[in-house]
PDB file of all heavy atoms in Angstrom:
ATOM      1  N   ARG A 795      25.410  31.815  20.852  1.00 72.00           N
ATOM      2  CA  ARG A 795      25.989  31.784  22.214  1.00 72.00           C
ATOM      3  C   ARG A 795      27.482  32.075  22.190  1.00 72.00           C
ATOM      4  O   ARG A 795      28.195  31.788  23.146  1.00 72.00           O
ATOM      5  CB  ARG A 795      25.766  30.415  22.813  1.00 72.00           C
ATOM      6  CG  ARG A 795      24.287  30.062  23.072  1.00 72.00           C
ATOM      7  CD  ARG A 795      24.118  28.625  23.473  1.00 72.00           C
ATOM      8  NE  ARG A 795      24.839  28.315  24.704  1.00 72.00           N
ATOM      9  CZ  ARG A 795      25.031  27.068  25.150  1.00 72.00           C
ATOM     10  NH1 ARG A 795      24.585  26.045  24.434  1.00 72.00           N
ATOM     11  NH2 ARG A 795      25.698  26.852  26.287  1.00 72.00           N
ATOM     12  N   ARG A 796      27.987  32.631  21.105  1.00 73.00           N
ATOM     13  CA  ARG A 796      29.432  32.856  20.985  1.00 73.00           C
ATOM     14  C   ARG A 796      29.937  33.845  22.014  1.00 73.00           C
ATOM     15  O   ARG A 796      31.086  33.743  22.490  1.00 73.00           O
ATOM     16  CB  ARG A 796      29.798  33.290  19.565  1.00 73.00           C
ATOM     17  CG  ARG A 796      29.208  34.585  19.110  1.00 73.00           C
ATOM     18  CD  ARG A 796      29.642  34.885  17.665  1.00 73.00           C
ATOM     19  NE  ARG A 796      29.149  36.188  17.191  1.00 73.00           N
ATOM     20  CZ  ARG A 796      27.980  36.399  16.654  1.00 73.00           C
ATOM     21  NH1 ARG A 796      27.124  35.380  16.546  1.00 73.00           N
ATOM     22  NH2 ARG A 796      27.624  37.611  16.261  1.00 73.00           N
ATOM     23  N   PHE A 797      29.115  34.838  22.367  1.00 71.00           N
ATOM     24  CA  PHE A 797      29.517  35.783  23.411  1.00 71.00           C
ATOM     25  C   PHE A 797      29.694  35.035  24.734  1.00 71.00           C
ATOM     26  O   PHE A 797      30.660  35.287  25.493  1.00 71.00           O
ATOM     27  CB  PHE A 797      28.504  36.893  23.574  1.00 71.00           C
ATOM     28  CG  PHE A 797      28.889  37.950  24.581  1.00 71.00           C
ATOM     29  CD1 PHE A 797      29.765  38.952  24.248  1.00 71.00           C
ATOM     30  CD2 PHE A 797      28.396  37.895  25.877  1.00 71.00           C
ATOM     31  CE1 PHE A 797      30.147  39.910  25.189  1.00 71.00           C
ATOM     32  CE2 PHE A 797      28.793  38.818  26.828  1.00 71.00           C
ATOM     33  CZ  PHE A 797      29.643  39.839  26.479  1.00 71.00           C
ATOM     34  N   GLU A 798      28.767  34.098  25.006  1.00 73.00           N
ATOM     35  CA  GLU A 798      28.872  33.307  26.259  1.00 73.00           C
ATOM     36  C   GLU A 798      30.160  32.506  26.297  1.00 73.00           C
ATOM     37  O   GLU A 798      30.875  32.474  27.300  1.00 73.00           O
ATOM     38  CB  GLU A 798      27.665  32.365  26.333  1.00 73.00           C
ATOM     39  CG  GLU A 798      27.751  31.368  27.480  1.00 73.00           C
ATOM     40  CD  GLU A 798      26.721  30.247  27.330  1.00 73.00           C
ATOM     41  OE1 GLU A 798      25.748  30.456  26.591  1.00 73.00           O
ATOM     42  OE2 GLU A 798      26.916  29.209  27.961  1.00 73.00           O
ATOM     43  N   PHE A 799      30.512  31.868  25.154  1.00 74.00           N
ATOM     44  CA  PHE A 799      31.740  31.069  25.125  1.00 74.00           C
ATOM     45  C   PHE A 799      32.973  31.938  25.226  1.00 74.00           C
ATOM     46  O   PHE A 799      33.954  31.580  25.906  1.00 74.00           O
ATOM     47  CB  PHE A 799      31.805  30.239  23.839  1.00 74.00           C
ATOM     48  CG  PHE A 799      30.658  29.283  23.688  1.00 74.00           C
ATOM     49  CD1 PHE A 799      29.977  29.145  22.499  1.00 74.00           C
ATOM     50  CD2 PHE A 799      30.218  28.524  24.785  1.00 74.00           C
ATOM     51  CE1 PHE A 799      28.897  28.277  22.362  1.00 74.00           C
ATOM     52  CE2 PHE A 799      29.160  27.648  24.648  1.00 74.00           C
ATOM     53  CZ  PHE A 799      28.495  27.519  23.452  1.00 74.00           C
ATOM     54  N   GLY A 800      32.948  33.090  24.565  1.00 74.00           N
ATOM     55  CA  GLY A 800      34.098  34.003  24.700  1.00 74.00           C
ATOM     56  C   GLY A 800      34.288  34.488  26.116  1.00 74.00           C
ATOM     57  O   GLY A 800      35.431  34.578  26.600  1.00 74.00           O
ATOM     58  N   LEU A 801      33.164  34.790  26.765  1.00 75.00           N
ATOM     59  CA  LEU A 801      33.227  35.244  28.158  1.00 75.00           C
ATOM     60  C   LEU A 801      33.766  34.136  29.076  1.00 75.00           C
ATOM     61  O   LEU A 801      34.578  34.386  29.957  1.00 75.00           O
ATOM     62  CB  LEU A 801      31.842  35.715  28.621  1.00 75.00           C
ATOM     63  CG  LEU A 801      31.770  36.352  30.008  1.00 75.00           C
ATOM     64  CD1 LEU A 801      32.649  37.577  30.082  1.00 75.00           C
ATOM     65  CD2 LEU A 801      30.319  36.723  30.342  1.00 75.00           C
ATOM     66  N   ARG A 802      33.304  32.903  28.842  1.00 76.00           N
ATOM     67  CA  ARG A 802      33.796  31.797  29.673  1.00 76.00           C
ATOM     68  C   ARG A 802      35.294  31.627  29.535  1.00 76.00           C
ATOM     69  O   ARG A 802      36.032  31.399  30.510  1.00 76.00           O
ATOM     70  CB  ARG A 802      33.108  30.503  29.240  1.00 76.00           C
ATOM     71  CG  ARG A 802      31.680  30.355  29.700  1.00 76.00           C
ATOM     72  CD  ARG A 802      31.171  28.969  29.347  1.00 76.00           C
ATOM     73  NE  ARG A 802      29.796  28.773  29.687  1.00 76.00           N
ATOM     74  CZ  ARG A 802      29.124  27.667  29.531  1.00 76.00           C
ATOM     75  NH1 ARG A 802      29.734  26.621  28.999  1.00 76.00           N
ATOM     76  NH2 ARG A 802      27.853  27.563  29.899  1.00 76.00           N
ATOM     77  N   MET A 803      35.786  31.720  28.303  1.00 76.00           N
ATOM     78  CA  MET A 803      37.204  31.535  28.111  1.00 76.00           C
ATOM     79  C   MET A 803      38.006  32.686  28.656  1.00 76.00           C
ATOM     80  O   MET A 803      39.146  32.525  29.126  1.00 76.00           O
ATOM     81  CB  MET A 803      37.513  31.350  26.585  1.00 76.00           C
ATOM     82  CG  MET A 803      36.863  30.079  26.039  1.00 76.00           C
ATOM     83  SD  MET A 803      37.192  29.806  24.263  1.00 76.00           S
ATOM     84  CE  MET A 803      38.915  29.449  24.320  1.00 76.00           C
ATOM     85  N   ALA A 804      37.406  33.913  28.645  1.00 74.00           N
ATOM     86  CA  ALA A 804      38.072  35.050  29.257  1.00 74.00           C
ATOM     87  C   ALA A 804      38.181  34.879  30.750  1.00 74.00           C
ATOM     88  O   ALA A 804      39.104  35.404  31.385  1.00 74.00           O
ATOM     89  CB  ALA A 804      37.315  36.354  28.882  1.00 74.00           C
ATOM     90  N   LEU A 805      37.242  34.163  31.344  1.00 75.00           N
ATOM     91  CA  LEU A 805      37.197  33.950  32.788  1.00 75.00           C
ATOM     92  C   LEU A 805      37.987  32.707  33.205  1.00 75.00           C
ATOM     93  O   LEU A 805      37.928  32.312  34.368  1.00 75.00           O
ATOM     94  CB  LEU A 805      35.749  33.880  33.297  1.00 75.00           C
ATOM     95  CG  LEU A 805      34.949  35.167  33.173  1.00 75.00           C
ATOM     96  CD1 LEU A 805      33.502  34.905  33.588  1.00 75.00           C
ATOM     97  CD2 LEU A 805      35.549  36.266  34.000  1.00 75.00           C
ATOM     98  N   GLY A 806      38.639  32.042  32.254  1.00 73.00           N
ATOM     99  CA  GLY A 806      39.491  30.921  32.612  1.00 73.00           C
ATOM    100  C   GLY A 806      39.122  29.581  32.062  1.00 73.00           C
ATOM    101  O   GLY A 806      39.849  28.596  32.283  1.00 73.00           O
ATOM    102  N   ALA A 807      38.006  29.486  31.366  1.00 76.00           N
ATOM    103  CA  ALA A 807      37.638  28.167  30.789  1.00 76.00           C
ATOM    104  C   ALA A 807      38.620  27.799  29.682  1.00 76.00           C
ATOM    105  O   ALA A 807      39.068  28.654  28.912  1.00 76.00           O
ATOM    106  CB  ALA A 807      36.227  28.242  30.230  1.00 76.00           C
ATOM    107  N   PRO A 809      39.761  25.748  26.112  1.00 79.00           N
ATOM    108  CA  PRO A 809      39.072  25.297  24.865  1.00 79.00           C
ATOM    109  C   PRO A 809      38.611  23.851  24.977  1.00 79.00           C
ATOM    110  O   PRO A 809      37.558  23.503  24.444  1.00 79.00           O
ATOM    111  CB  PRO A 809      40.177  25.447  23.795  1.00 79.00           C
ATOM    112  CG  PRO A 809      41.065  26.505  24.350  1.00 79.00           C
ATOM    113  CD  PRO A 809      41.093  26.321  25.828  1.00 79.00           C
ATOM    114  N   VAL A 812      35.250  23.765  26.829  1.00 80.00           N
ATOM    115  CA  VAL A 812      34.149  24.222  25.975  1.00 80.00           C
ATOM    116  C   VAL A 812      33.789  23.170  24.940  1.00 80.00           C
ATOM    117  O   VAL A 812      32.600  22.876  24.707  1.00 80.00           O
ATOM    118  CB  VAL A 812      34.533  25.551  25.281  1.00 80.00           C
ATOM    119  CG1 VAL A 812      33.493  25.964  24.256  1.00 80.00           C
ATOM    120  CG2 VAL A 812      34.723  26.671  26.325  1.00 80.00           C
ATOM    121  N   ARG A 878      34.844  25.095  16.349  1.00 80.00           N
ATOM    122  CA  ARG A 878      34.851  26.532  16.120  1.00 80.00           C
ATOM    123  C   ARG A 878      34.649  27.311  17.395  1.00 80.00           C
ATOM    124  O   ARG A 878      35.266  28.304  17.660  1.00 80.00           O
ATOM    125  CB  ARG A 878      33.782  26.896  15.075  1.00 80.00           C
ATOM    126  CG  ARG A 878      34.153  26.493  13.649  1.00 80.00           C
ATOM    127  CD  ARG A 878      33.323  27.284  12.641  1.00 80.00           C
ATOM    128  NE  ARG A 878      31.907  27.089  12.857  1.00 80.00           N
ATOM    129  CZ  ARG A 878      31.199  26.153  12.285  1.00 80.00           C
ATOM    130  NH1 ARG A 878      31.767  25.269  11.470  1.00 80.00           N
ATOM    131  NH2 ARG A 878      29.872  26.065  12.504  1.00 80.00           N
ATOM    132  N   ALA A 879      33.659  26.860  18.209  1.00 77.00           N
ATOM    133  CA  ALA A 879      33.354  27.590  19.453  1.00 77.00           C
ATOM    134  C   ALA A 879      34.541  27.485  20.443  1.00 77.00           C
ATOM    135  O   ALA A 879      34.780  28.458  21.173  1.00 77.00           O
ATOM    136  CB  ALA A 879      32.119  26.976  20.097  1.00 77.00           C
ATOM    137  N   SER A 880      35.254  26.387  20.435  1.00 77.00           N
ATOM    138  CA  SER A 880      36.382  26.245  21.400  1.00 77.00           C
ATOM    139  C   SER A 880      37.518  27.133  21.053  1.00 77.00           C
ATOM    140  O   SER A 880      38.433  27.339  21.857  1.00 77.00           O
ATOM    141  CB  SER A 880      36.824  24.777  21.429  1.00 77.00           C
ATOM    142  OG  SER A 880      37.406  24.415  20.190  1.00 77.00           O
ATOM    143  N   ARG A 881      37.540  27.673  19.822  1.00 75.00           N
ATOM    144  CA  ARG A 881      38.651  28.578  19.404  1.00 75.00           C
ATOM    145  C   ARG A 881      38.202  30.030  19.449  1.00 75.00           C
ATOM    146  O   ARG A 881      38.878  30.911  18.918  1.00 75.00           O
ATOM    147  CB  ARG A 881      39.070  28.210  17.978  1.00 75.00           C
ATOM    148  CG  ARG A 881      39.609  26.813  17.846  1.00 75.00           C
ATOM    149  CD  ARG A 881      39.788  26.413  16.408  1.00 75.00           C
ATOM    150  NE  ARG A 881      40.213  25.011  16.266  1.00 75.00           N
ATOM    151  CZ  ARG A 881      39.961  24.260  15.235  1.00 75.00           C
ATOM    152  NH1 ARG A 881      39.291  24.762  14.192  1.00 75.00           N
ATOM    153  NH2 ARG A 881      40.376  23.015  15.198  1.00 75.00           N
ATOM    154  N   THR A 882      37.064  30.287  20.046  1.00 67.00           N
ATOM    155  CA  THR A 882      36.520  31.643  20.105  1.00 67.00           C
ATOM    156  C   THR A 882      37.109  32.388  21.280  1.00 67.00           C
ATOM    157  O   THR A 882      37.126  31.881  22.409  1.00 67.00           O
ATOM    158  CB  THR A 882      34.985  31.604  20.225  1.00 67.00           C
ATOM    159  OG1 THR A 882      34.451  30.901  19.107  1.00 67.00           O
ATOM    160  CG2 THR A 882      34.426  33.048  20.234  1.00 67.00           C
ATOM    161  N   GLY A 883      37.546  33.636  21.070  1.00 60.00           N
ATOM    162  CA  GLY A 883      38.046  34.487  22.131  1.00 60.00           C
ATOM    163  C   GLY A 883      37.090  35.663  22.322  1.00 60.00           C
ATOM    164  O   GLY A 883      36.386  36.034  21.407  1.00 60.00           O
ATOM    165  N   LEU A 884      37.089  36.228  23.521  1.00 54.00           N
ATOM    166  CA  LEU A 884      36.179  37.355  23.792  1.00 54.00           C
ATOM    167  C   LEU A 884      36.487  38.547  22.914  1.00 54.00           C
ATOM    168  O   LEU A 884      35.577  39.225  22.427  1.00 54.00           O
ATOM    169  CB  LEU A 884      36.276  37.737  25.280  1.00 54.00           C
ATOM    170  CG  LEU A 884      35.365  38.859  25.714  1.00 54.00           C
ATOM    171  CD1 LEU A 884      33.911  38.480  25.502  1.00 54.00           C
ATOM    172  CD2 LEU A 884      35.609  39.214  27.203  1.00 54.00           C
ATOM    173  N   THR A 885      37.785  38.793  22.655  1.00 56.00           N
ATOM    174  CA  THR A 885      38.145  39.939  21.798  1.00 56.00           C
ATOM    175  C   THR A 885      37.580  39.797  20.415  1.00 56.00           C
ATOM    176  O   THR A 885      37.032  40.721  19.816  1.00 56.00           O
ATOM    177  CB  THR A 885      39.676  40.052  21.720  1.00 56.00           C
ATOM    178  OG1 THR A 885      40.214  40.144  23.064  1.00 56.00           O
ATOM    179  CG2 THR A 885      40.084  41.300  20.943  1.00 56.00           C
ATOM    180  N   ALA A 886      37.672  38.569  19.863  1.00 53.00           N
ATOM    181  CA  ALA A 886      37.154  38.356  18.520  1.00 53.00           C
ATOM    182  C   ALA A 886      35.631  38.521  18.500  1.00 53.00           C
ATOM    183  O   ALA A 886      35.065  39.048  17.538  1.00 53.00           O
ATOM    184  CB  ALA A 886      37.528  36.927  18.049  1.00 53.00           C
ATOM    185  N   VAL A 887      34.939  38.082  19.558  1.00 51.00           N
ATOM    186  CA  VAL A 887      33.496  38.233  19.605  1.00 51.00           C
ATOM    187  C   VAL A 887      33.120  39.717  19.651  1.00 51.00           C
ATOM    188  O   VAL A 887      32.230  40.170  18.942  1.00 51.00           O
ATOM    189  CB  VAL A 887      32.937  37.522  20.846  1.00 51.00           C
ATOM    190  CG1 VAL A 887      31.447  37.826  21.020  1.00 51.00           C
ATOM    191  CG2 VAL A 887      33.161  36.030  20.737  1.00 51.00           C
ATOM    192  N   LEU A 888      33.795  40.490  20.485  1.00 51.00           N
ATOM    193  CA  LEU A 888      33.510  41.916  20.595  1.00 51.00           C
ATOM    194  C   LEU A 888      33.829  42.640  19.280  1.00 51.00           C
ATOM    195  O   LEU A 888      33.112  43.575  18.885  1.00 51.00           O
ATOM    196  CB  LEU A 888      34.296  42.548  21.749  1.00 51.00           C
ATOM    197  CG  LEU A 888      33.893  42.032  23.151  1.00 51.00           C
ATOM    198  CD1 LEU A 888      34.841  42.640  24.185  1.00 51.00           C
ATOM    199  CD2 LEU A 888      32.457  42.439  23.442  1.00 51.00           C
ATOM    200  N   ARG A 889      34.878  42.186  18.601  1.00 53.00           N
ATOM    201  CA  ARG A 889      35.246  42.849  17.336  1.00 53.00           C
ATOM    202  C   ARG A 889      34.163  42.618  16.272  1.00 53.00           C
ATOM    203  O   ARG A 889      33.897  43.484  15.446  1.00 53.00           O
ATOM    204  CB  ARG A 889      36.588  42.282  16.845  1.00 53.00           C
ATOM    205  CG  ARG A 889      37.128  43.021  15.627  1.00 53.00           C
ATOM    206  CD  ARG A 889      38.465  42.471  15.178  1.00 53.00           C
ATOM    207  NE  ARG A 889      39.444  42.610  16.240  1.00 53.00           N
ATOM    208  CZ  ARG A 889      40.103  41.577  16.796  1.00 53.00           C
ATOM    209  NH1 ARG A 889      39.838  40.362  16.412  1.00 53.00           N
ATOM    210  NH2 ARG A 889      40.979  41.796  17.771  1.00 53.00           N
ATOM    211  N   ARG A 890      33.480  41.453  16.324  1.00 51.00           N
ATOM    212  CA  ARG A 890      32.434  41.153  15.380  1.00 51.00           C
ATOM    213  C   ARG A 890      31.075  41.688  15.817  1.00 51.00           C
ATOM    214  O   ARG A 890      30.050  41.482  15.175  1.00 51.00           O
ATOM    215  CB  ARG A 890      32.318  39.630  15.198  1.00 51.00           C
ATOM    216  CG  ARG A 890      33.488  39.041  14.415  1.00 51.00           C
ATOM    217  CD  ARG A 890      33.150  37.673  13.909  1.00 51.00           C
ATOM    218  NE  ARG A 890      32.827  36.745  14.977  1.00 51.00           N
ATOM    219  CZ  ARG A 890      33.695  35.910  15.528  1.00 51.00           C
ATOM    220  NH1 ARG A 890      34.954  35.922  15.126  1.00 51.00           N
ATOM    221  NH2 ARG A 890      33.339  35.106  16.500  1.00 51.00           N
ATOM    222  N   GLY A 891      31.028  42.350  16.929  1.00 49.00           N
ATOM    223  CA  GLY A 891      29.773  42.941  17.382  1.00 49.00           C
ATOM    224  C   GLY A 891      29.001  42.098  18.343  1.00 49.00           C
ATOM    225  O   GLY A 891      27.810  42.319  18.515  1.00 49.00           O
ATOM    226  N   GLY A 892      29.623  41.148  19.039  1.00 48.00           N
ATOM    227  CA  GLY A 892      28.954  40.307  20.047  1.00 48.00           C
ATOM    228  C   GLY A 892      28.031  39.370  19.462  1.00 48.00           C
ATOM    229  O   GLY A 892      27.205  38.763  20.070  1.00 48.00           O
TER     230      GLY A 892
END
Side-chain angles (χ1 to χ4, degrees):
R795 296 171 60 193
R796 63 182 183 274
F797 182 81
E798 173 194 339
F799 299 135
L801 185 60
R802 284 186 183 183
M803 296 180 69
L805 294 176
V812 172
R878 287 199 303 269
S880 66
R881 298 170 185 153
T882 301
L884 182 60
T885 305
V887 173
L888 293 175
R889 187 179 299 120
R890 290 197 298 265

